[in-house]
Amino acid sequence: MSAFAPFKTLVYKRCGLHLEGLAEARLLRAVTSLQAITELTDTTQLLDKLTSDPTLFDQFVSQLTVNETYFCREPDALNWLVNAYLPQRLAAGKAPLSIFSAGCSSGEEPYSVAMLLYERFGERARTLFNLSGGDLDHQVLVKARQAVYGGMAFRALSPTFKARYFSPYEGRFKLNEALRQWVTFRPFNLLSANENSPGGPFDVILFRNVSIYFDEPTRRRIHQQLSQLLKPNGILLCGVTEILGNDLGIFELAEAQGVFYFRSAKQPATSTAASPTFSWLDMGNKGDVSVENSDQLASTVDDKPAASLEQETENEKAASFTQQLHTAHQLLNQNAFDEAASLLKTLLTQQPWSVDALVLAGLVARWQQQPRIAREHFKRAIYVMPECWPAHFYLAELYRQGELTDEPLQRQRRYAGVVRLLSADPTSNGGLGTIAPPLPPGDARFLAERHLKAVNTTLATSSDSQGV
């Protein structure tokens, strides 16, 4: 990808996007598309064209972000915001309150907040709150303003909400017009908030599941920009798995009974109650595994003994299995769950005890709302590799999130296992040999410790009640 380094540098300088790993494949497609549109192949000419043509640059950048989102993502944080934090602010006489979704993609996040606010406050919500969203991608903002969505956007939204706030529209579903008009959208570059200001200052900024695109120096610059848009007593909400990566000293990390948020360092902590955080956690990735050139292999086959050929065949099978694991991982990241499930079924037929395949299969089953199947995959991974902390973590999550009938002792055991394993080896990959852990070990330990504390409290309370 060295030929594309100048494009990486340009995008990084202008937008802060860190185009490494899987993002390199998107960059390759974007450059190929750019060459077709401009009929230019010279890198210098392409860069000059991108630099001088804002519309073309916007089209180019729109191909570099995943724009993966859906309604009511990480609902515990949203429920705390709507049912605990915002009512407290309203009680202090602060209406109307302003809420901004930074990196809003196609609009599912701000529209989710709109639905929840409407549930809590009814028609008054539109006078009590101002809702807006901003994103770097101009094309995805067009979709946000249209508010027409397909099936995968609704995977975490209750059928009741879908029926109440959406109506069929040309084979898809369109949001209620009153809510659509309530939320405003505008272009927004996180690195240049002053140049394309989204308004504000805001009482709440949602910066959730966005920072994965940025390295730490860029996140620090973004926090400095966002601090200028936030009211002195406002809060910044990040994604569940992004907490540690965004604790950079610009804001102070605070907690309200399981929900973590950032605030001004001089701002007092909120006393509102909150529900535990929810996490559909992002998946990590390693680079593709290269397979030796087939022509080169063919040219040397005749000169090798049978034992060597057998070993070579085994190596090829192993390389193929590894490559297919990466493919399944990419399919999962792209929400192609049926294709990922089909491929993983084949891989587990070949190697029933592959820890990597079992963990991926468990994650896919969970996304497909098949918690019992997910449980069996995670349990088998633990049986094969007791130190597989990702399997312990996600098994505990199945119980905590209510996807399986809650068993506090199981939750306690699994979260305790994560804490124990990562205390002994803070950088452990959990026994995974090919894919990276689905979330960073530090984040997993951070979350497991807090969920363990919560379940211990639950068990202690239950024990006291039984004693009485």
Side-chain angles (χ1 to χ4, degrees):
M1 295 296 289
S2 58
F4 299 103
F7 296 96
K8 288 185 180 181
T9 301
L10 175 63
V11 173
Y12 181 80
K13 182 178 179 180
R14 283 197 174 187
C15 310
L17 298 179
H18 195 54
L19 300 175
E20 302 296 340
L22 280 178
E24 291 185 335
R26 295 195 295 273
L27 177 62
L28 173 59
R29 290 193 294 269
V31 172
T32 301
S33 175
L34 179 65
Q35 291 172 336
I37 292 171
T38 62
E39 297 183 347
L40 298 172
T41 56
D42 180 74
T43 298
T44 301
Q45 292 179 325
L46 284 171
L47 289 170
D48 288 342
K49 189 70 173 175
L50 275 180
T51 304
S52 61
D53 189 336
T55 301
L56 188 64
F57 183 79
D58 291 338
Q59 294 174 354
F60 183 74
V61 170
S62 71
Q63 301 176 66
L64 301 178
T65 55
V66 177
N67 291 318
E68 153 55 19
T69 185
Y70 50 92
F71 290 107
C72 288
R73 188 175 188 175
E74 299 177 3
D76 284 349
L78 295 181
N79 286 329
W80 169 79
L81 176 68
V82 170
N83 296 311
Y85 178 76
L86 292 176
Q88 181 192 48
R89 292 291 302 275
L90 288 175
K94 302 296 184 180
L97 301 176
S98 55
I99 303 169
F100 177 61
S101 173
C104 66
S105 188
S106 45
E108 285 90 332
E109 179 174 79
Y111 285 140
S112 295
V113 175
M115 285 185 279
L116 291 171
L117 288 173
Y118 210 84
E119 286 290 307
R120 173 65 189 252
F121 299 98
E123 290 285 351
R124 290 193 310 131
R126 297 175 65 188
T127 61
L128 294 174
F129 303 96
N130 297 322
L131 299 178
S132 60
D135 200 278
L136 177 70
D137 188 340
H138 291 237
Q139 296 182 26
V140 82
L141 289 177
V142 173
K143 298 179 182 179
R145 295 186 183 103
Q146 292 171 342
V148 177
Y149 300 95
M152 288 308 298
F154 298 103
R155 60 182 177 266
L157 189 69
S158 72
T160 301
F161 269 46
K162 184 177 180 181
R164 185 174 302 163
Y165 294 106
F166 292 86
S167 56
Y169 180 82
E170 298 181 354
R172 304 175 78 196
F173 294 88
K174 188 170 186 177
L175 182 67
N176 175 292
E177 187 64 16
L179 296 189
R180 188 182 73 84
Q181 294 184 5
W182 183 15
V183 184
T184 60
F185 296 95
R186 67 198 74 194
F188 177 65
N189 188 331
L190 286 159
L191 289 185
S192 56
N194 293 331
E195 296 177 14
N196 54 354
S197 175
F202 299 100
D203 296 278
V204 177
I205 295 179
L206 302 172
F207 180 54
R208 306 196 313 155
N209 305 297
V210 179
S211 62
I212 185 175
Y213 293 111
F214 307 107
D215 58 16
E216 183 173 320
T218 305
R219 290 198 303 273
R220 191 178 300 278
R221 289 176 58 195
I222 290 172
H223 276 221
Q224 291 169 343
Q225 294 280 339
L226 294 178
S227 67
Q228 299 175 30
L229 298 175
L230 197 65
K231 289 184 179 179
N233 57 347
I235 65 169
L236 178 74
L237 273 178
C238 295
V240 171
T241 62
E242 300 174 307
I243 296 166
L244 294 183
N246 281 284
D247 192 8
L248 303 170
I250 309 299
F251 297 101
E252 180 181 80
L253 181 62
E255 177 187 359
Q257 297 186 5
V259 173
F260 297 89
Y261 61 94
F262 292 94
R263 64 186 184 192
S264 168
K266 296 181 180 179
Q267 183 182 335
T270 179
S271 60
T272 55
S275 50
T277 49
F278 175 91
S279 60
W280 287 109
L281 299 169
D282 293 327
M283 314 304 168
N285 182 67
K286 291 184 179 179
D288 292 337
V289 176
S290 60
V291 182
E292 292 187 28
N293 184 276
S294 57
D295 293 334
Q296 181 180 0
L297 287 173
S299 67
T300 57
V301 162
D302 294 337
D303 301 327
K304 295 185 179 180
S308 178
L309 291 176
E310 290 177 5
Q311 181 61 47
E312 207 166 78
T313 300
E314 290 302 314
N315 290 341
E316 290 175 3
K317 288 181 179 179
S320 175
F321 187 88
T322 298
Q323 182 63 47
Q324 290 182 81
L325 273 177
H326 284 303
T327 299
H329 198 181
Q330 293 180 35
L331 289 170
L332 174 60
N333 288 339
Q334 296 165 3
N335 298 329
F337 303 124
D338 291 342
E339 293 90 335
S342 177
L343 178 55
L344 287 165
K345 182 178 180 180
T346 300
L347 293 178
L348 286 171
T349 300
Q350 299 173 19
Q351 296 188 27
W353 304 109
S354 166
V355 176
D356 297 69
L358 288 167
V359 169
L360 285 178
L363 293 169
V364 169
R366 189 181 181 195
W367 276 110
Q368 292 181 313
Q369 299 182 8
Q370 298 174 334
R372 290 181 176 82
I373 295 176
R375 175 181 60 189
E376 293 310 308
H377 286 310
F378 292 141
K379 287 175 65 176
R380 181 169 290 198
I382 293 170
Y383 176 78
V384 177
M385 187 75 63
E387 62 269 31
C388 184
W389 60 261
H392 286 285
F393 184 90
Y394 288 112
L395 189 53
E397 289 288 279
L398 289 172
Y399 293 111
R400 188 179 70 84
Q401 299 296 341
E403 296 162 67
L404 295 172
T405 302
D406 190 21
E407 297 181 24
L409 287 174
Q410 279 285 357
R411 277 194 288 145
Q412 181 189 52
R413 178 184 178 188
R414 300 307 175 187
Y415 284 134
V418 175
V419 173
R420 173 177 53 80
L421 290 167
L422 291 179
S423 295
D425 184 359
T427 61
S428 168
N429 66 357
L432 299 173
T434 299
I435 64 170
L439 71 162
D443 287 4
R445 179 179 174 183
F446 176 81
L447 293 169
E449 286 175 343
R450 277 140 186 84
H451 295 327
L452 180 60
K453 181 179 178 181
V455 73
N456 285 340
T457 301
T458 299
L459 290 171
T461 302
S462 175
S463 177
D464 292 343
S465 299
Q466 292 174 2
V468 172

